[in-house]
Amino acid sequence: ALNLYWTQVRMMYSCFEANVRASDSSVFEHEMPGGQYTNLMFQASQLGLGTQWSEIKRKYIEANKLCGDIIKVTPSSKTVGDFAQWMTSNNLSAQDVLDRADTLDFPTSVVEFFQGYLGQPVGGFPEPLRSKVIRNKPKIEGRPGESMPPLDLRKIKQELRAKFGKHITDVDVASYCMYPKVFEEYQGFLSKYGDLSVLPTRYFLGKPTVGEEMHISIEKGKMLIIRLMATGALIEGTGARDVWFEVNGEVRAVPVEDKNAAVDTVTREKASSDPGSVGAPMSGVVIEVRVKEGQEVKKGDVLCVQSAMKAPPKAKGGRMLSLINHIVKITMNDGRTLMGKMLAFDRHMNLVLADCEEFRRIKKKRKQGDQEVSESVEQKRTLGLVILRGETIVSLTDEGAPPAADDDKKSSLMPGPGRGMPAGRGMGMMPPPGGVPPPSMAARPMPYGMPPPGMPGGPPPGMPGFG
């Protein structure tokens, strides 16, 4: 039973596997820790360096020697890994780093290592590389904790509670003191998504299927029953979709980023060797600009701060209103496909379609020689005006706006003889052309008291004025 449990756990976390199927004997050369091996491989693929993994391992050896052949444990191993990826992306050798160290922009983790934030390596820092890397930044000699200023933990706790809420504990204070940026990012995640630790692993790592119910206990005695109902069309320009859930019987629509959506690619100017052209040391996002237009800069000045992490686009609200009078394609939970002009919708995702057509695939059997074979045939049926319940809709796709209607053609009539004249109360009717009455009015009016032709009998009894 225990083996089966861990087998299922590994299947859940298989999305984090680095696809390493065999041992790598090159570990005796680069001396990379086992945990970092797979993590660094994943990071390299995220930075677009996945095809240069062999080169990164060679640069790891050179970066380790440049750092002084240090003992590689967290976080010193991260420094060497960042150093190796930076050298690979900039096509730098160890000799290039030594020759141009006073002009290169090193990763933050490498600069802090040479400043002494991680302590003193055995044998000390290699010089003059250390001085060229940190330049005018302060050095830490000895154990970093000895020179740290004292912290007012009570004051920090009060500031964190004022910023993030009263849920901040002493453990949170310790986390903030050690990793302030990471802690603030985590609190921002909590404020946006809530505490996801209550989610079962199955739904934290993978999406549910349409119609599947999730039972989530958010606290003692409080259970949420959530069912995925439908996924809306891709919202252009945002990369998001409206996803409809039923939460304890109430329908809610949530905009969710679709990471598989196609986005427009923006091409940036590539740096060259011309004067005034400044190239980025790595692929990433500019998160802060330190200079202004027209400002004079000199060699070694910081122009901007760049992050290798890609910032996700901000998702906007739904645009169901923009689909009104558009032709939409609806996929139902029973496999049918409906196409029609959407006239209305409500918060429960109930839709009204006009000029609706239904498409379904049915299996028909036919004889082929001595055997019966079944084939799938699409069957089309015109439904007209329909109302669809939101809980039966799986997906909705915008097929475009309907063609513009030509109102002049709809209101046009066949020309014919006649003339226009004023008409009103007390005015006689316009005589027909030639004075000949229409055929329907040529006969003499039928007198009262006479039954219509073919209708026997006289007026009903007791009706005066007849006879």
Side-chain angles (χ1 to χ4, degrees):
L2 190 59
N3 292 339
L4 181 60
Y5 168 77
W6 285 113
T7 301
Q8 294 175 346
V9 168
R10 178 160 185 175
M11 290 176 61
M12 288 184 177
Y13 287 87
S14 60
C15 55
F16 299 102
E17 292 272 357
N19 202 27
V20 179
R21 301 298 183 183
S23 58
D24 185 1
S25 59
S26 63
V27 68
F28 294 104
E29 298 176 354
H30 53 69
E31 299 179 348
M32 194 182 302
Q36 187 190 20
Y37 187 95
T38 54
N39 291 338
L40 193 62
M41 181 184 292
F42 177 77
Q43 293 172 11
S45 64
Q46 294 296 304
L47 295 175
L49 301 174
T51 57
Q52 303 182 60
W53 175 240
S54 298
E55 181 66 18
I56 290 176
K57 291 191 290 185
R58 286 191 289 269
K59 295 298 182 184
Y60 192 95
I61 301 173
E62 297 180 5
N64 178 47
K65 292 180 179 179
L66 288 172
C67 292
D69 195 12
I70 60 176
I71 299 174
K72 289 172 287 299
V73 293
T74 306
S76 61
S77 59
K78 179 184 182 302
T79 299
V80 180
D82 293 344
F83 206 169
Q85 291 185 109
W86 175 80
M87 292 174 63
T88 303
S89 62
N90 290 277
N91 195 23
L92 296 172
S93 64
Q95 190 61 44
D96 293 333
V97 173
L98 293 173
D99 295 340
R100 300 161 52 189
D102 54 346
T103 61
L104 294 174
D105 293 321
F106 291 89
T108 303
S109 60
V110 177
V111 176
E112 291 181 348
F113 165 78
F114 280 104
Q115 284 184 262
Y117 277 87
L118 305 185
Q120 306 297 313
V122 178
F125 292 100
E127 289 287 0
L129 179 61
R130 182 192 189 191
S131 300
K132 291 182 178 180
V133 171
I134 65 176
R135 296 158 200 172
N136 57 352
K137 294 182 175 62
K139 296 181 181 179
I140 299 177
E141 304 294 347
R143 191 172 66 86
E146 294 177 350
S147 58
M148 287 180 62
L151 292 176
D152 189 344
L153 299 180
R154 291 184 179 179
K155 181 180 178 181
I156 293 176
K157 187 174 183 178
Q158 292 176 356
E159 293 175 349
L160 292 178
R161 286 193 168 185
K163 186 175 182 179
F164 299 113
K166 296 183 178 180
H167 63 278
I168 298 297
T169 63
D170 292 339
V171 176
D172 296 325
V173 173
S175 299
Y176 174 79
C177 293
M178 291 184 289
Y179 308 101
K181 185 177 179 181
V182 176
F183 179 81
E184 290 182 350
E185 291 177 351
Y186 173 68
Q187 291 298 322
F189 180 89
L190 288 181
S191 64
K192 183 177 181 179
Y193 299 106
D195 183 12
L196 300 186
S197 63
V198 299
L199 284 179
T201 305
R202 154 76 176 85
Y203 300 116
F204 180 80
L205 299 178
K207 62 182 181 180
T209 58
V210 174
E212 183 177 0
E213 283 191 354
M214 298 171 282
H215 297 254
I216 302 174
S217 177
I218 58 176
E219 60 183 53
K220 188 175 181 180
K222 185 178 289 187
M223 174 76 72
L224 293 181
I225 302 177
I226 304 174
R227 183 168 67 90
L228 177 60
M229 296 178 59
T231 303
L234 182 68
I235 304 173
E236 296 182 2
T238 65
R241 297 178 184 270
D242 281 340
V243 181
W244 283 268
F245 293 93
E246 185 182 74
V247 182
N248 288 354
E250 295 185 2
V251 178
R252 299 181 183 179
V254 181
V256 177
E257 176 193 355
D258 187 349
K259 296 183 179 180
N260 296 322
V263 295
D264 295 334
T265 302
V266 179
T267 303
R268 307 294 184 186
E269 180 183 358
K270 188 175 182 180
S272 63
S273 57
D274 298 334
S277 180
V278 181
M282 68 177 76
S283 300
V285 179
V286 176
I287 59 176
E288 183 183 356
V289 178
R290 297 280 182 89
V291 294
K292 298 180 180 180
E293 184 177 357
Q295 177 180 341
E296 294 186 2
V297 295
K298 60 181 182 297
K299 184 178 179 180
D301 288 350
V302 179
L303 303 181
C304 64
V305 179
Q306 187 179 4
S307 173
M309 301 303 293
K310 182 178 179 182
K314 296 182 179 179
K316 299 181 180 179
R319 296 184 179 176
M320 287 293 290
L321 283 175
S322 65
L323 300 180
I324 295 295
N325 293 328
H326 278 226
I327 304 299
V328 295
K329 181 179 180 181
I330 307 292
T331 302
M332 309 295 290
N333 57 5
D334 58 2
R336 292 180 298 154
T337 301
L338 304 179
M339 288 189 65
K341 183 167 68 172
M342 191 173 81
L343 300 182
F345 69 96
D346 63 7
R347 66 185 184 93
H348 300 291
M349 192 51 186
N350 299 321
L351 304 181
V352 179
L353 301 184
D355 303 327
C356 183
E357 293 181 336
E358 177 194 73
F359 300 88
R360 68 167 70 201
R361 302 198 71 85
I362 60 174
K363 289 186 178 181
K364 287 188 175 181
K365 292 184 178 181
R366 62 182 181 86
K367 285 191 175 182
Q368 186 175 0
D370 297 336
Q371 297 180 350
E372 284 189 353
V373 294
S374 61
E375 58 181 2
S376 180
V377 180
E378 186 177 69
Q379 193 176 63
K380 176 181 175 181
R381 186 172 60 149
T382 301
L383 303 181
L385 184 69
V386 298
I387 300 177
L388 302 178
R389 297 188 63 182
E391 61 184 16
T392 64
I393 298 175
V394 175
S395 65
L396 183 150
T397 307
D398 182 13
E399 297 293 322
D406 192 346
D407 295 334
D408 295 335
K409 292 183 179 180
K410 290 185 176 181
S411 59
S412 61
L413 299 175
M414 295 295 294
R419 64 189 178 94
M421 63 178 294
R425 190 169 184 180
M427 298 185 63
M429 296 179 58
M430 182 183 69
V436 179
S440 60
M441 302 183 66
R444 181 176 61 87
M446 186 170 52
Y448 289 108
M450 296 293 293
M455 297 291 291
M463 295 293 290
F466 291 91

